[in-house]
């Protein structure tokens, strides 16, 4: 006979099995029946960090990002979201490209020391709506980057 605590643990494990979240590849398969997904042992996770140390909300896409990832994010902004870059500044250790997102001027920035970030162009004078736009765009970029990473693994 099982003790009360053992029965409770078994009940919780069964409940967790019913409530478990589908993995991203399982979600893709459910959305696209017949899709063959090449599975890998590498787990695809992405969690964008929001930072407010500059006086505005800054979405950190990758704190150790490389130029390849910067151009992937720029491609998502340009091609998927159909936004145009208004101003491009390329320097030795920093690239800053400005664009409008839902009426707010934001900047996609690559810095060899700080990685890849999105922030309001007027970092010091950013208002609440600009900061909310950064958070909204960060959520969109996170989903698009995960989708593109998964599509690379499709057989």
């Amino acid at each position: 006979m099982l003790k009360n605590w053992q029965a409770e643990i078994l009940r919780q494990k069964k409940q967790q099995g019913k409530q478990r979240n589908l993995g991203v590849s399982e979600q893709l398969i459910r959305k696209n029946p017949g899709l063959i997904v090449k599975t890998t042992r590498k787990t695809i996770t992405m969690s964008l960090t929001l930072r407010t140390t500059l006086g505005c909300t800054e979405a950190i896409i990758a704190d150790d990002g490389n130029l390849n990832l910067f151009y992937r994010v720029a491609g998502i902004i340009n091609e998927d979201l159909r936004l145009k870059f208004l101003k491009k500044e390329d320097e030795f250790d920093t690239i800053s490209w400005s664009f409008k997102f839902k009426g707010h001027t934001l900047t996609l920035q690559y810095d060899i020391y700080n990685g890849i970030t999105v922030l309001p162009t007027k970092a010091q004078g950013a208002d609440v709506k600009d900061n909310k736009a950064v958070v909204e765009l960060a959520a969109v970029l996170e989903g698009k980057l995960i989708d593109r990473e998964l599509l690379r693994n499709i057989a």
Side-chain angles (χ1 to χ4, degrees):
M1 174 135 183
L2 292 175
K3 294 181 181 178
N4 286 342
W5 63 271
Q6 290 173 324
E8 179 63 22
I9 290 174
L10 284 174
R11 187 187 67 72
Q12 287 177 356
K13 284 186 178 180
K14 285 181 183 178
Q15 189 68 19
Q16 286 175 352
K18 290 178 186 174
Q19 293 179 349
R20 79 178 178 91
N21 293 329
L22 294 177
V24 180
S25 58
E26 291 176 41
Q27 290 175 7
L28 267 176
I29 292 170
R30 286 206 173 167
K31 287 181 185 176
N32 305 300
L35 181 70
I36 299 171
V37 178
K38 178 180 164 186
T39 58
T40 63
R41 293 188 182 261
K42 178 182 170 188
T43 304
I44 300 168
T45 58
M46 174 170 276
S47 178
L48 299 179
T49 305
L50 299 175
R51 178 171 58 194
T52 58
T53 55
L54 297 176
C56 65
T57 301
E58 179 182 17
I60 302 168
I61 296 168
D63 53 359
D64 61 347
N66 55 30
L67 280 174
N68 187 24
L69 180 59
F70 173 82
Y71 288 117
R72 251 193 295 164
V73 173
I76 290 170
I77 290 170
N78 190 0
E79 297 163 11
D80 294 3
L81 301 178
R82 294 192 169 118
L83 301 174
K84 293 187 180 186
F85 290 103
L86 308 171
K87 185 177 180 184
K88 294 182 177 183
E89 294 179 10
D90 297 351
E91 297 177 15
F92 172 70
D93 56 354
T94 305
I95 300 173
S96 298
W97 291 2
S98 300
F99 59 96
K100 284 228 183 235
F101 176 72
K102 295 190 176 182
H104 304 280
T105 306
L106 305 179
T107 299
L108 173 66
Q109 190 172 55
Y110 167 77
D111 186 289
I112 60 173
Y113 307 108
N114 297 321
I116 301 168
T117 59
V118 174
L119 65 154
T121 302
K122 295 180 189 174
Q124 298 298 333
D127 63 6
V128 176
K129 291 181 181 180
D130 290 337
N131 293 328
K132 286 183 179 180
V134 169
V135 174
E136 186 179 341
L137 179 65
V140 171
L141 288 175
E142 182 177 30
K144 297 273 186 189
L145 285 167
I146 289 173
D147 287 347
R148 283 194 177 191
E149 188 64 32
L150 279 172
L151 290 174
R152 289 178 163 190
N153 295 326
I154 293 177

